[in-house]
Structure formats: structure tokens, C-alpha cells
């Protein structure tokens, strides 16, 4: 069975949430995402990179975003299905068709696709600091500069966390961008944010 057949079979299968997942699919196919099938679920990708997927369960159905941590989530409806285990993935969960706000769902899908185009994603940190969560703009800055990325992951986990918190604590985007420009010099030099205040 080819990919297209697997996708069709998934949505045609009798299930209490058949109508719900079909509505989500109808929204997904209006985006620029490529529809495929992985891990027994329909997955939507961009340029070969997984962005979100649709799934159904016994008591709910959902959309999962592979890098959902970077979605703005103004409605505060994204959930981390496995707190303590999952860092980047976030989910929109529904218990009935009436829970679906098509405008909001489509907005989240398109934002996730735009983030993928920009390369915004949770970057691997070579096992140094598995609990590190990078703010989206910092993650993008590291993606855009291999030199800074290499230097950043050469820092201690403590220094990585200091930089991440420094950017995350800025309230406005322009402030975050200004701070990123400032710390890029320090990171390339292999220095921590507060090294000058530490006793030698």
C-alpha cells in the first residue's frame, strides 16, 4: 500500500472521531504542507521536515506539532502531553467536533509552517544539557550561524541556560533581537553571560 492509500485508509476507517480528524485534514490540505504517512498517522511536512500530524485516540483526537514549543499560542490551548519527557512537541486536543475552531487551528498550522521555513526548532545539544529549552529567536540565531551554534554548544550547560533565560526574559521581540546581537560576540569568544562578575 503506497503512502496516499495509507492516508486515505486512515481517514476512511470507522472511528468515533472520524468526522473530527477529517475536519482537521480539510484544514491541513489548504496549507503548503505535504501530506504523508508515518508512525501510523498522517504527517504534514515542509521540504521533507515534519511539522505536524493528526491522530486519534480512545477519548480524544489531536494535532501534534513537532516544534510546538515555539508557537506563540495566544489562546493558551497547546498542551505538553508528556511533561518531563517531551521538550518541543505540543498538542491541540479535541473531544468533539464542536471543540474545533477552524480559524484558530489553521492559524496554528500556518505559524508552524512559517517557523519551519525560518528553521526555528529545538536544536540538539549533544547531550550536554537535556533540560535546556531555547527561545525561538535564539534557536533561529544559532541555526543561522554555524559558528555561533558550535561555540554555544561548546559552553557549559550552566552558561547555555544563562543565555537562554536572558533572551526568554525579554518581553519585546526587539529587545530579544538586541540581546541576541549583544551575546553573539560573547558566545563566539567562548564566554558566559556573567563571566566578568565571577571570581577568577
Amino acid at each position: 500500500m503506497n503512502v496516499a492509500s495509507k492516508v486515505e485508509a486512515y481517514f476512511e476507517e470507522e472511528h468515533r472521531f472520524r468526522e473530527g480528524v477529517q475536519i482537521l485534514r480539510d484544514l491541513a490540505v489548504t496549507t503548503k504542507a505535504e501530506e504523508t504517512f508515518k508512525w501510523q498517522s498522517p504527517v504534514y511536512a515542509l521540504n521533507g521536515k515534519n511539522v505536524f500530524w493528526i491522530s486519534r485516540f480512545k477519548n480524544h483526537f489531536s494535532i501534534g506539532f513537532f516544534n510546538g514549543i515555539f508557537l506563540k499560542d495566544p489562546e493558551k490551548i497547546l498542551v505538553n502531553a508528556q511533561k518531563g519527557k517531551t521538550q518541543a512537541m505540543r498538542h491541540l486536543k479535541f473531544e468533539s467536533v464542536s471543540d474545533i475552531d477552524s480559524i484558530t487551528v489553521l492559524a496554528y498550522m500556518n505559524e508552524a509552517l512559517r517557523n519551519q521555513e525560518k528553521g526555528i526548532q529545538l536544536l540538539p545539544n549533544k547531550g550536554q544539557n537535556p533540560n535546556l529549552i531555547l527561545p525561538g529567536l535564539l534557536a533561529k540565531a544559532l541555526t543561522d550561524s554555524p559558528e555561533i551554534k558550535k561555540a554555544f554548544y561548546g559552553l557549559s550547560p550552566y552558561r547555555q541556560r544563562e543565555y537562554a533565560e536572558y533572551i526568554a526574559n525579554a518581553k519585546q521581540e526587539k529587545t530579544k533581537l538586541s540581546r541576541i546581537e549583544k551575546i553573539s560576540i560573547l558566545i563566539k569568544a567562548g564566554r558566559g553571560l556573567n563571566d566578568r562578575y565571577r571570581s577568577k
Side-chain angles (χ1 to χ4, degrees), residues 40-100:
Q40 306 303 312
S41 295
V43 174
Y44 297 82
L46 187 66
N47 300 322
K49 300 291 186 180
N50 301 325
V51 181
F52 58 88
W53 76 99
I54 294 172
S55 54
R56 62 190 181 214
F57 302 91
K58 182 178 180 180
N59 297 314
H60 73 276
F61 58 104
S62 70
I63 305 172
F65 296 93
F66 288 94
N67 280 288
I69 190 174
F70 298 121
L71 295 175
K72 294 176 182 176
D73 192 23
E75 306 295 332
K76 304 300 180 187
I77 54 179
L78 288 174
V79 297
N80 185 342
Q82 293 182 300
K83 288 185 179 181
K85 294 183 180 181
T86 302
Q87 294 187 50
M89 291 182 184
R90 294 294 183 272
H91 300 259
L92 286 179
K93 298 174 68 175
F94 312 94
E95 295 181 357
S96 71
V97 170
S98 62
D99 290 340
I100 302 173

Side-chain angles (χ1 to χ4, degrees), residues 1-12 25 35-37 42-44:
M1 187 180 292
N2 60 29
V3 170
S5 297
K6 290 179 180 178
V7 171
E8 293 302 327
Y10 183 91
F11 287 108
E12 291 175 2
R25 183 197 192 188
E35 189 175 61
T36 184
F37 195 82
V43 174
Y44 297 82

Side-chain angles (χ1 to χ4, degrees), residues 126 141-155 184-190:
K126 303 178 183 178
L142 299 184
T143 300
D144 289 345
S145 173
E147 180 185 5
I148 296 176
K149 176 181 176 181
K150 181 178 180 181
F152 181 83
Y153 287 116
L155 297 171
S184 294
I185 299 172
L186 297 175
I187 293 172
K188 283 195 287 187

Side-chain angles (χ1 to χ4, degrees), residues 10-199:
Y10 183 91
F11 287 108
E12 291 175 2
E13 184 178 342
E14 285 299 329
H15 191 278
R16 64 177 293 198
F17 296 125
R18 179 180 175 182
E19 182 184 0
V21 294
Q22 182 61 56
I23 291 173
L24 297 181
R25 183 197 192 188
D26 290 343
L27 293 171
V29 297
T30 67
T31 72
K32 61 178 66 176
E34 306 142 7
E35 189 175 61
T36 184
F37 195 82
K38 301 178 182 179
W39 309 294
Q40 306 303 312
S41 295
V43 174
Y44 297 82
L46 187 66
N47 300 322
K49 300 291 186 180
N50 301 325
V51 181
F52 58 88
W53 76 99
I54 294 172
S55 54
R56 62 190 181 214
F57 302 91
K58 182 178 180 180
N59 297 314
H60 73 276
F61 58 104
S62 70
I63 305 172
F65 296 93
F66 288 94
N67 280 288
I69 190 174
F70 298 121
L71 295 175
K72 294 176 182 176
D73 192 23
E75 306 295 332
K76 304 300 180 187
I77 54 179
L78 288 174
V79 297
N80 185 342
Q82 293 182 300
K83 288 185 179 181
K85 294 183 180 181
T86 302
Q87 294 187 50
M89 291 182 184
R90 294 294 183 272
H91 300 259
L92 286 179
K93 298 174 68 175
F94 312 94
E95 295 181 357
S96 71
V97 170
S98 62
D99 290 340
I100 302 173
D101 180 332
S102 296
I103 294 176
T104 298
V105 170
L106 187 58
Y108 279 61
M109 288 178 174
N110 282 321
E111 183 186 354
L113 290 163
R114 288 194 299 272
N115 285 348
Q116 182 59 54
E117 286 182 313
K118 296 175 183 177
I120 299 175
Q121 57 187 318
L122 192 65
L123 300 174
N125 54 25
K126 303 178 183 178
Q128 287 188 19
N129 192 0
N131 295 318
L132 178 68
I133 295 178
L134 293 179
L137 290 175
L138 178 57
K140 184 177 187 305
L142 299 184
T143 300
D144 289 345
S145 173
E147 180 185 5
I148 296 176
K149 176 181 176 181
K150 181 178 180 181
F152 181 83
Y153 287 116
L155 297 171
S156 67
Y158 182 80
R159 288 184 170 89
Q160 292 175 19
R161 188 168 62 252
E162 277 189 330
Y163 281 124
E165 291 175 351
Y166 180 60
I167 302 305
N169 289 337
K171 294 182 179 180
Q172 298 184 359
E173 182 172 315
K174 65 179 182 181
T175 305
K176 293 179 189 288
L177 291 171
S178 175
R179 289 185 177 186
I180 288 172
E181 184 176 355
K182 170 186 172 182
I183 67 175
S184 294
I185 299 172
L186 297 175
I187 293 172
K188 283 195 287 187
R191 295 166 55 192
L193 178 65
N194 297 308
D195 280 4
R196 62 179 176 174
Y197 301 115
R198 297 188 178 100
S199 58

